[in-house]
């Protein structure tokens, strides 16, 4: 059972994940293969929910959609790249709660593959009943159309990150991880995740800070995010801002969080957001072939490749490392060049 400190515990949340915590498992064969001194574990947030494949946006939406329901909204409005996992998870959560969903995708990725425009998440959005507006329709236009239909739209920013409650899902995940550490008798000194819009890492930063503040942390954790879009300086500012916003909601002060509470690397983002390179393909295959676990071409494949590179270049020589698998595998069919 996850026990959150007050006032965090009083913030309403609509359950969208499985009732049990997302699995934490040791990566035994990978640890042996790398033999770098560190032990590797994985948290399976890629299979945290029964809703359309699950993933990290479902965890954030537990708080965001509680607010949407509270406000009497009937239509969720959100955006992302054409193959956005966030749009797919929002579509699934909307269906689950009996809400409509309107998507206005943006063309963020230069892709030569025709599959990019219809396979993967795009296909699933249609199956899930989302209304998909033409690429680059503005949010204002979508809202105007919905209002003329008499709908009550609820706006969710890309990745739910800049939503005032966007960081709370992963702040709660920090407490879930602490519970699992107790149960498994392990203490993760490093947690590694992909970072896109920032509230996965930002939420974790706020959550672990609250735990530290309440004396629940035996040692400060190293929280490392591999950026898959923004350069390091910009990503650092975004994560800091999100973590501080979350902090003020859960019982901390904004100033309790500083840049020293997390690290960002942009070394593995490749050419650009959503553009797959051979280094990432090799990383995806390495994990797949040694553990049977699939990552994705946009986020987790790049972050995991970063982890592998650190392990192989002597930058992870001791301790227990947890890789947060945030999902995204359903985008794979939009990347047929990945063979
Ligand atoms: C959105 C996403 C991320 C990044 O999470 P942010 O909270 O946006 O930084 C990582 N992995 C996957 C699979 C995602 O869909």
């Amino acid at each position: 059972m996850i026990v959150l400190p007050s006032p965090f515990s009083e913030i309403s949340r609509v359950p969208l994940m499985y009732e049990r915590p997302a699995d934490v498992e040791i990566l035994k064969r990978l640890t042996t293969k790398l033999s770098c001194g560190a032990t590797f574990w994985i948290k399976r947030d890629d299979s945290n929910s029964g809703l359309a494949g699950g993933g990290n946006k479902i965890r954030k939406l537990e708080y965001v959609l509680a607010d949407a329901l509270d406000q009497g909204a009937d239509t969720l409005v959100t955006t992302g790249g054409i193959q956005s996992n966030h749009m797919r998870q929002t579509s699934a959560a909307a269906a689950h709660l009996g809400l409509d969903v309107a998507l206005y995708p943006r063309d963020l990725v230069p892709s030569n593959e025709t599959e990019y425009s219809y396979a993967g998440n795009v296909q699933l959005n249609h199956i899930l009943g989302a209304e998909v507006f033409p690429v680059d329709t503005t949010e204002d236009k979508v809202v105007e159309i919905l209002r003329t239909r008499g709908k009550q739209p609820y706006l969710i920013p890309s990745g739910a990150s800049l939503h005032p409650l966007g960081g709370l899902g992963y702040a709660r995940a920090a407490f879930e991880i602490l519970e699992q550490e107790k149960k498994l008798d392990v203490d993760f000194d490093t947690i590694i995740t992909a970072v896109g819009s920032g509230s996965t890492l930002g939420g974790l930063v706020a959550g672990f800070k609250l735990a530290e503040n309440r004396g629940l942390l035996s040692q400060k954790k190293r929280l490392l995010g591999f950026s898959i879009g923004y350069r390091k300086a910009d990503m650092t500012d975004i994560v800091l801002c999100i973590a501080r916003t979350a902090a003020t909601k859960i019982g901390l002060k904004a100033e309790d969080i500083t840049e020293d509470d997390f690290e960002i690397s942009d070394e593995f983002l490749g050419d650009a957001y959503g553009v797959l390179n051979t280094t990432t393909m090799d990383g995806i295959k390495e994990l797949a072939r040694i553990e049977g676990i699939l990552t994705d071409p946009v986020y987790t494949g790049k972050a995991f490749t970063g982890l592998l590179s650190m392990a192989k270049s002597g930058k992870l020589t001791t301790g227990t490392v947890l890789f947060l698998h945030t999902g995204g595998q359903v985008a794979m069919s939009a990347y047929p060049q990945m063979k």
Side-chain angles (χ1 to χ4, degrees):
M1 240 252 303
I2 304 162
V3 184
L4 298 177
S6 176
F8 193 3
S9 54
E10 282 107 67
I11 302 176
S12 57
R13 182 175 71 88
V14 51
L16 298 170
M17 295 189 292
Y18 294 126
E19 229 169 273
R20 62 183 164 81
D23 293 335
V24 166
E25 302 162 340
I26 191 163
L27 296 171
K28 222 182 242 163
R29 280 170 46 79
L30 182 83
T31 299
T32 305
K33 185 184 176 205
L34 291 173
S35 284
C36 64
T39 307
F40 296 92
W41 293 67
I42 191 166
K43 182 163 174 69
R44 303 302 303 269
D45 258 15
D46 60 312
S47 47
N48 57 5
S49 168
L51 302 179
N56 66 335
K57 306 310 182 306
I58 291 280
R59 196 182 272 282
K60 307 178 193 186
L61 289 169
E62 290 198 326
Y63 284 99
V64 172
L65 298 194
D67 183 58
L69 293 174
D70 226 38
Q71 296 195 15
D74 56 22
T75 308
L76 305 179
V77 178
T78 198
T79 188
I82 290 171
Q83 284 292 338
S84 158
N85 298 306
H86 165 72
M87 292 198 301
R88 180 246 313 160
Q89 290 168 78
T90 305
S91 301
H96 181 73
L97 297 173
L99 302 170
D100 287 342
V101 65
L103 308 175
Y104 59 103
R106 283 171 302 150
D107 189 5
L108 304 174
V109 177
S111 173
N112 298 322
E113 310 286 348
T114 52
E115 286 85 348
Y116 193 82
S117 64
Y118 66 81
N121 284 303
V122 175
Q123 179 183 32
L124 300 190
N125 290 337
H126 290 301
I127 294 171
L128 291 162
E131 177 171 14
V132 184
F133 285 86
V135 166
D136 293 334
T137 308
T138 65
E139 182 180 80
D140 288 351
K141 184 76 197 159
V142 173
V143 168
E144 182 194 315
I145 293 169
L146 293 172
R147 288 220 192 274
T148 58
R149 293 182 197 158
K151 292 291 195 180
Q152 298 290 327
Y154 185 88
L155 309 184
I156 304 171
S158 177
S161 282
L162 298 180
H163 188 288
L165 303 174
L168 298 196
Y170 275 89
R172 182 172 179 275
F175 287 85
E176 184 175 305
I177 291 167
L178 291 174
E179 259 318 296
Q180 289 176 296
E181 284 186 334
K182 260 191 253 163
K183 214 177 232 165
L184 296 162
D185 194 23
V186 47
D187 195 352
F188 299 115
D189 19 60
T190 302
I191 299 179
I192 293 181
T193 182
V195 184
S197 59
S199 60
T200 298
L201 182 59
L204 287 175
V205 169
F208 281 117
K209 180 60 73 175
L210 179 62
E212 182 187 331
N213 184 279
R214 302 294 157 99
L216 302 170
L217 211 55
S218 54
Q219 55 158 345
K220 195 171 157 111
K221 294 190 189 298
R222 179 183 186 193
L223 303 175
L224 171 60
F226 282 102
S227 177
I228 54 70
Y230 295 103
R231 285 293 162 196
K232 179 175 169 159
D234 291 335
M235 198 71 252
T236 301
D237 289 347
I238 294 168
V239 170
L240 187 61
C241 174
I242 292 168
R244 286 179 163 168
T245 301
T248 60
K249 307 260 174 214
I250 63 179
L252 295 167
K253 292 201 235 31
E255 318 84 80
D256 290 337
I257 314 267
T258 72
E259 278 182 33
D260 296 336
D261 292 319
F262 63 95
E263 289 166 55
I264 298 285
S265 164
D266 59 10
E267 280 176 75
F268 293 88
L269 74 77
D271 296 326
Y273 171 73
V275 178
L276 182 56
N277 57 26
T278 50
T279 314
T280 308
M281 289 194 210
D282 290 345
I284 292 172
K285 285 180 195 167
E286 190 164 342
L287 179 65
R289 291 172 190 188
I290 195 141
E291 294 282 357
I293 295 172
L294 297 175
T295 48
D296 82 319
V298 182
Y299 298 96
T300 48
K302 289 184 176 177
F304 198 81
T305 302
L307 178 154
L308 287 175
S309 169
M310 285 177 77
K312 290 174 185 178
S313 60
K315 289 182 187 143
L316 286 173
T317 53
T318 55
T320 315
V321 176
L322 180 67
F323 180 73
L324 177 63
H325 191 331
T326 43
Q329 298 97 320
V330 305
M332 196 67 88
S333 61
Y335 287 80
Q337 70 269 43
M338 173 84 212
K339 299 195 181 86

